[in-house]
Amino acid sequence: MNQHVNNVKYVGWVMESVPVAVFENYELSSMTLKYRRQCNQSDALQSMCSPTSCTAKLEKEAEVEVNGAGCSYTAGSQTSIPDVAKCVPPHLQFTHLLRLQVDGAKILQGKTQWRLKKSKHLY
């Protein structure tokens, strides 16, 4: 009625930027969102996410640091998670940003945490 976007829509837009490999191997364990300003239905937005650091164990029990520095994902990207072929971290964390495409104004910032699906545990 007032042409503002519903909160549920924001969640969908945040999830659009998460790489497909995450949905295939992980389940969402928590989400924290901070709304900065409203947007209207006609606004064009950019949905971005970036992995944060996490520690993973290889099959030989060696620890590997998976660092999100320099890795950024946008909706529709076919980029895979760094080092996913070498290690499968039991937990992942992403930071998220929704912003207006026209001027880059922040609409929403958030964090998601993901845990490996039970059928995917390697140890």
Side-chain angles (χ1 to χ4, degrees), residues 17-19 22 47-54 65-75 77-84 92-97:
S17 63
V18 177
V22 173
S47 177
M48 299 175 285
C49 79
S50 179
T52 57
S53 297
C54 63
E65 183 83 2
V66 179
N67 191 341
C71 300
S72 181
Y73 301 97
T74 56
S77 172
Q78 296 301 312
T79 307
S80 61
I81 301 168
D83 299 319
V84 74
L92 294 177
Q93 184 174 351
F94 288 87
T95 57
H96 300 271
L97 175 65

Side-chain angles (χ1 to χ4, degrees), residues 3-16:
Q3 301 299 311
H4 294 169
V5 177
N6 183 300
N7 290 347
V8 175
K9 195 71 168 169
Y10 289 113
V11 172
W13 289 333
V14 165
M15 300 304 271
E16 283 180 2

Side-chain angles (χ1 to χ4, degrees), residues 40-52:
N40 295 318
Q41 292 179 350
S42 61
D43 290 334
L45 301 179
Q46 292 177 319
S47 177
M48 299 175 285
C49 79
S50 179
T52 57

Side-chain angles (χ1 to χ4, degrees), residues 7-119:
N7 290 347
V8 175
K9 195 71 168 169
Y10 289 113
V11 172
W13 289 333
V14 165
M15 300 304 271
E16 283 180 2
S17 63
V18 177
V20 174
V22 173
F23 287 107
E24 292 172 349
N25 297 294
Y26 294 85
E27 58 191 13
L28 183 65
S29 59
S30 73
M31 177 183 282
T32 304
L33 302 176
K34 294 180 182 178
Y35 297 93
R36 300 296 181 201
R37 62 179 285 183
Q38 64 187 19
C39 69
N40 295 318
Q41 292 179 350
S42 61
D43 290 334
L45 301 179
Q46 292 177 319
S47 177
M48 299 175 285
C49 79
S50 179
T52 57
S53 297
C54 63
T55 302
K57 289 188 177 181
L58 292 172
E59 293 177 43
K60 297 178 182 177
E61 296 297 312
E63 289 193 348
V64 175
E65 183 83 2
V66 179
N67 191 341
C71 300
S72 181
Y73 301 97
T74 56
S77 172
Q78 296 301 312
T79 307
S80 61
I81 301 168
D83 299 319
V84 74
K86 296 180 183 175
C87 64
V88 179
H91 302 281
L92 294 177
Q93 184 174 351
F94 288 87
T95 57
H96 300 271
L97 175 65
L98 285 180
R99 66 182 183 187
L100 289 175
Q101 192 168 3
V102 68
D103 64 1
K106 293 179 184 177
I107 301 294
L108 175 144
Q109 291 177 294
K111 290 184 180 181
T112 54
Q113 294 183 342
W114 303 78
R115 64 178 164 247
L116 197 60
K117 290 181 179 178
K118 295 191 186 315
S119 62

